[in-house]
Amino acid sequence: MKRLFALFVCTVLLLSAAPTFALADGGILRVGTDAEPIGFDPHTISAVASARVMTQLYNQLVDVDGDLNVVPELAESWEQPDDTTYIFHLRGDVTFHNGRSMTAEDVKYSFERILDPNVGALGSSASYAGDIESIEIIDDLTVKFTLKQINAPFLASLSSWYCSIVAKEAVEENGDLLSADGGTGPFTLGEWIPDNMVSINKYDGYFIPDQPKVDGIEFYVMTDSSARLAALRTGSVDLIAADTSMLPLVAGDANINTLSYQSRNYAALCLNTTLPQFSDVRVRQAISLALNRQDIIDLAYNGEAEVSGFVPASLGHWAVDVTEHPLYQQDIEKAKALMSEAGYADGFEVTLIVGLLDSLRDIGAVAQQQLAEIGITVNVVNKENAEYVALWSAHDFEIMACQNGAGSDPSRGVAFFFKTGNSANIAGYSNARVDELCELGAGTTDVAQREEYYKEAIEIILDEEPNVVIASPREYFLSSAKLLGFEPSAAEPYSLATAYLAE
Amino acid sequence: MRDYILRRLLMLIPILLGISVCVFTIMQLVPGNVVNGILGIEQTPELRAIWEKKLGLDQPPLIQYFRWMGNVLRGDFGESFRTGAQVFPEIISRFTITAELALLSCLTSLIIAIPLGIVSALKRNRPVDKVVRVAALMGVSMPSFASATLIILFLSKAFGYFTPVKYVSLIQNPGTNLEIMILPALILGTTMAGSVMRMTRSSILEVMRQDFIKAVRAKGAPERITIFRHALKNGCIPIITLVGMQMGGLLGGTVVIEQIFSIPGLGQYVLTGISQRDYPVVQGCVLFIAFIYVIINLFVDIIYTYVDPRIQYA
């Protein structure tokens, strides 16, 4: 028995001989996140958990501020000699994390990588860099982009992390950037212990003076929300991603601050308009009229969301207020009348797919009760994440509860989700006038003109309700009281370069 | 004995082949694939085609299977579809973590369960036996995720304590490593201890009724020797069997605890792999876990011969 015990202990010791990791100290900001990052290649990774880290490592030519204005980042200025030509003048003081200066050559290389069909970069689609015809280096700090056609949202789309500027040598050394760092951002990639933590370190050569403030950031993966909250309470982390159910638990706690912003996301019931019952606009309108959006918000978001259309208020001047829109007021009688007119006086049975987010599952449950009032029997089916996404991409559903991001330009919020044939137009919606307006909107750079086109398109879509939009949620963080300088917004949810820890 | 071990090891070949076919088929049948996850909302038919080609998913399943199996036979488990990292080194590094957790949990369970089981058997139907049995039942019934959450909340509220958030290995920093592991091991260990204790109690009860115990007592052996050298040793075969099975179960079954305590173990790796449809990761992990399971069973069988010399394999 003694020998067995000794064997036991020896095995424990031997098995634990894992590689060693360096420890950092002083001025480190620790963040508790809810999901494991997948990798850090800005050109091929869409996951939000990765973006939190990647956006600290990389820069883009331009940025979009809170008022949706395009502002300089790596390019200090730009000019547009004609509608399809953009000339960017780069900052001269930008260096990659290996110390080499960034030049026009790197901009050219980065976009060639994005457009390389072997890379499969997410920015290669027409929503981003897909319309680029040629890239010409004029001098070390000047680069000219020529587009195949007028693409009004092009400049704003360059602010996406999919259009990050990367160092060629970092890509060539590692094959890709999934676990490597070829950026110019305020932080450099440190160590990565998958399913536990990622650290990033301050880059001393960052081109914005006095940034970043902290020596480094450690992102800890804490999928369990109660563990995340306990870690914050005990000072093991300084900042956590929160959900609304945590808010009452920390109310009145002087050591914990609540930070939030109105997101550009919205939740909707997408109706498959290729099916007979939903091809009738009256049925779609009836569904919109049957919903009590405030009740849904109270139950699914603990009241922390705003009634919204698909271009939420956070999109500034592009937004269309729907709070007074007739189809956004609950009116059961009118809804029933529309159902009878459409030949569905007795209602019908339908399957509603939910998944991905708890809020969507809750929306499903409330919508099921509310739609029963106009005779629609809803069977809510909860799908596991990958299966949900598969059904989404195959447009294989009757009703699907989804959460979409409206982006920073109406070309995203309107055309991406509602133009005929677009892959994100999962409702299968098709309206010739909307298609025409989307093209007109993308085909001119005159903002006032664009606003007119898109507003008309938005009004048409709101009346036709292919996606019955419900609400735009607020996003929350909880931080320790000593974390200062962190101001999350829809434009910059993780603007950590300005954050610092007070002693 | 050597022939026996060799025979058992040879049996691994059909077992692993069978499992490889099963896991591959199941992964192919599960709806959704990794490309949907990679592209998210940005997917277009063109991008989907590029990625399916890049990952070899455009090939017929049979070709995918033989290509994967051929590489596995050459010792190459492939790369993760999502992270691009080599699967096998990742499995090994995570296995060491999960195995440490599993061994510590077993140790905790044995330390709690064996003495209590013996006491419970010797004091059969007395108050102490009843208390121990109720405690054991609670241990078996309480799901580990619930006790883990309660303990975390209690410690953070009452003592302002939270386990170290950054994982370090035992070699690098034994103190911190054990501090990270002790709570999860205690929680898993107490859950396991319930059934081990019940098994110990019934085995000891049965052995104590046998004639040879009377003989040991008749020759005047002290009670301590009677219980530990004779009763426990003869009664421990079912306990070893149970613990062996629990160990195997823990290798893939610590996932909930790993998630709650952010321990980067094998369970989390498989779970993430499954949810992302990362075929090489899931297939590699399942093959590896099956392999270890068989090895643990073999190990248990060999321990039998040590505990009970009458058992011989030829």
Side-chain angles (χ1 to χ4, degrees), chain B residues 28-100:
Chain B
Q28 293 283 331
L29 290 177
V30 176
N33 78 32
V34 68
V35 175
N36 289 326
I38 291 173
L39 298 174
I41 203 162
E42 305 298 340
Q43 49 196 301
T44 59
E46 300 78 42
L47 275 174
R48 257 205 305 271
I50 290 173
W51 278 92
E52 277 171 6
K53 185 156 181 259
K54 246 174 111 162
L55 301 174
L57 294 171
D58 55 339
Q59 301 289 327
L62 211 61
I63 291 182
Q64 286 182 44
Y65 173 77
F66 282 113
R67 191 175 282 172
W68 169 65
M69 209 51 217
N71 289 337
V72 168
L73 289 177
R74 282 192 291 270
D76 175 11
F77 278 62
E79 290 170 356
S80 157
F81 282 165
R82 288 308 301 261
T83 66
Q86 284 284 329
V87 170
F88 192 67
E90 192 67 33
I91 289 179
I92 295 298
S93 101
R94 283 162 178 267
F95 170 69
T96 58
I97 297 166
T98 297
E100 184 195 348

Side-chain angles (χ1 to χ4, degrees), chain A residues 282-365:
Chain A
R282 290 168 296 190
V283 173
R284 306 200 298 259
Q285 289 172 335
I287 288 176
S288 184
L289 286 167
L291 296 179
N292 182 329
R293 289 172 169 80
Q294 194 54 49
D295 280 358
I296 299 180
I297 288 171
D298 291 343
L299 281 152
Y301 297 104
N302 296 311
E304 302 292 336
E306 284 176 3
V307 173
S308 164
F310 55 89
V311 184
S314 47
L315 261 83
H317 63 94
W318 300 110
V320 170
D321 184 15
V322 296
T323 47
E324 301 297 320
H325 195 284
L327 289 173
Y328 278 68
Q329 322 302 323
Q330 190 183 31
D331 187 341
I332 300 293
E333 288 317 308
K334 201 167 156 195
K336 280 182 175 165
L338 283 167
M339 288 289 281
S340 329
E341 268 178 48
Y344 293 105
D346 299 329
F348 51 81
E349 198 171 334
V350 71
T351 302
L352 165 61
I353 305 286
V354 297
L356 285 187
L357 301 167
D358 285 339
S359 53
L360 293 181
R361 289 183 264 269
D362 292 343
I363 287 172

Side-chain angles (χ1 to χ4, degrees), chain A residues 1 3-5 7-8 11-13 15-24 38 44-47 117-122 124-125 128 162 178 191-197 218 220-224 226-227 230-231 233-234 236-237 384-387 389-390 392-393 404-405 412 416-417 423-424, chain B residues 31-33 36-45 47-48 50-51 54 82-84 90 93-97 99-100 103-104 106-107 110 149 152-153 156-157 160-163 165-173 232 236 259-260 262-265 268-269 272 274-277 299 303 306-307:
Chain A
M1 203 42 99
R3 257 185 288 171
L4 262 184
F5 182 77
L7 189 68
F8 225 117
T11 324
V12 174
L13 284 169
L15 286 168
S16 311
T20 54
F21 309 107
L23 280 168
I38 290 149
T44 58
I45 300 278
S46 62
N118 296 318
V119 174
L122 302 165
S124 62
S125 69
Y128 299 95
Y162 302 153
L178 285 169
E191 63 176 315
W192 181 17
I193 309 172
D195 279 324
N196 181 241
M197 63 90 72
E218 293 173 351
Y220 290 97
V221 183
M222 299 176 166
T223 42
D224 186 69
S226 57
R233 277 203 173 113
T234 55
S236 292
V237 296
E384 178 262 346
N385 292 0
E387 198 180 347
V389 179
W392 184 94
S393 55
N404 292 336
R412 182 75 171 191
F416 188 67
F417 292 108
S423 49
Chain B
N33 78 32
N36 289 326
I38 291 173
L39 298 174
I41 203 162
E42 305 298 340
Q43 49 196 301
T44 59
L47 275 174
R48 257 205 305 271
I50 290 173
W51 278 92
K54 246 174 111 162
R82 288 308 301 261
T83 66
E90 192 67 33
S93 101
R94 283 162 178 267
F95 170 69
T96 58
I97 297 166
E100 184 195 348
L103 286 173
L104 285 173
C106 270
L107 205 60
L110 292 177
T149 309
I152 286 181
L153 280 179
S156 72
K157 276 278 199 183
Y161 176 79
F162 193 78
T163 49
V165 283
K166 181 174 177 180
Y167 181 78
V168 289
S169 74
L170 192 63
I171 295 297
Q172 186 203 347
N173 190 335
L232 184 58
C236 73
Q259 274 206 331
I260 293 177
S262 302
I263 295 172
Q268 286 225 59
Y269 193 46
T272 316
I274 292 172
S275 67
Q276 299 181 337
R277 305 289 189 267
F299 192 64
I303 292 182
Y306 165 78
V307 177

